[in-house]
Amino acid sequence: MIELFQFQQEAAEVLSNRMISYQMDPLLVSKERSIPLYTVLQSITGSGKTIILAEMLEQFRAQSDHQPIILWVSKGKVVVGQTLENFSDGGKYSQNIPNYKVIPLLDCTESDIKSNESLLLIATVGKFNQKDKDQGDRRIFQTNLDKADSSLWDLLKQRSAGENKRELIIVYDE
């Protein structure tokens, strides 16, 4: 397990507390729909943004009523590959998020989303390209008949685990 520096721990706590606080009292568009929380972590290269975000996610998970779904996206395939390697079993950060199932987004199944297990899905932003969502490899918008009745995107939007709707946290890693 990687030990965080004091400033990293404090940053993770601030972000996690902000998310928990917002979850308890969100801004509402209607009785049923809240405005998503948007927050930014800016820090110099090499300061440990990834480990800060991992700690923030683990703190949030530990305080939340339901196990969250994290969608960790980046522009570059190289960054996505490194992130997957670092968070997967035996990876550099895997012990910092021990309660998460870590998989590429397109390997996610309906049972993963409906489970009660924290889920970390990793992908490039290109997987969400609307222009060719009905063609090509944009399988997130397509139904995979041997896995689900709905597309992965629809399953993520619903995020049901029994009667509960799981939190969806999107991390955009430049």
Side-chain angles (χ1 to χ4, degrees), residues 12 16 21 49 55 63 73 114-116 130 136-137 149 151:
S16 177
S21 176
K49 290 182 286 293
E55 178 65 19
Q63 296 180 54
V73 294
K114 290 184 174 183
S115 79
N116 243 355
Q130 290 284 333
D137 76 342
D149 295 328
S151 72

Side-chain angles (χ1 to χ4, degrees), residues 22-77:
Y22 190 79
Q23 184 181 38
M24 295 162 80
D25 187 24
L27 295 173
L28 299 175
V29 173
S30 67
K31 288 181 183 180
E32 302 290 319
R33 195 166 151 226
S34 63
I35 297 171
L37 173 66
Y38 175 82
T39 189
V40 176
L41 171 63
Q42 286 185 313
S43 189
I44 62 172
T45 301
S47 63
K49 290 182 286 293
T50 301
I51 195 66
I52 291 169
L53 293 170
E55 178 65 19
M56 179 262 318
L57 294 174
E58 183 58 14
Q59 286 182 22
F60 178 81
R61 186 211 55 77
Q63 296 180 54
S64 185
D65 294 335
H66 311 291
Q67 299 304 309
I69 297 175
I70 311 303
L71 179 56
W72 194 295
V73 294
S74 181
K75 277 193 247 182
K77 289 181 183 180

Side-chain angles (χ1 to χ4, degrees), residues 2 4 8 30 40 50 52 59-60 63 68 71 86 91 98 109 116 118-119 129 133 137 146 148 155-156 163 172:
I2 292 181
L4 279 71
Q8 293 170 323
S30 67
V40 176
T50 301
I52 291 169
Q59 286 182 22
F60 178 81
Q63 296 180 54
L71 179 56
N86 287 335
T109 65
N116 243 355
S118 296
L119 190 57
N129 187 344
K133 75 180 196 178
D137 76 342
D146 54 14
L155 291 171
L156 282 172
E163 295 180 17
Y172 178 71

Side-chain angles (χ1 to χ4, degrees), residues 136-152:
D137 76 342
R138 306 302 184 233
R139 292 184 293 147
I140 189 166
F141 299 109
Q142 299 173 0
T143 301
N144 191 343
L145 295 177
D146 54 14
K147 290 188 178 180
D149 295 328
S150 301
S151 72
L152 178 54

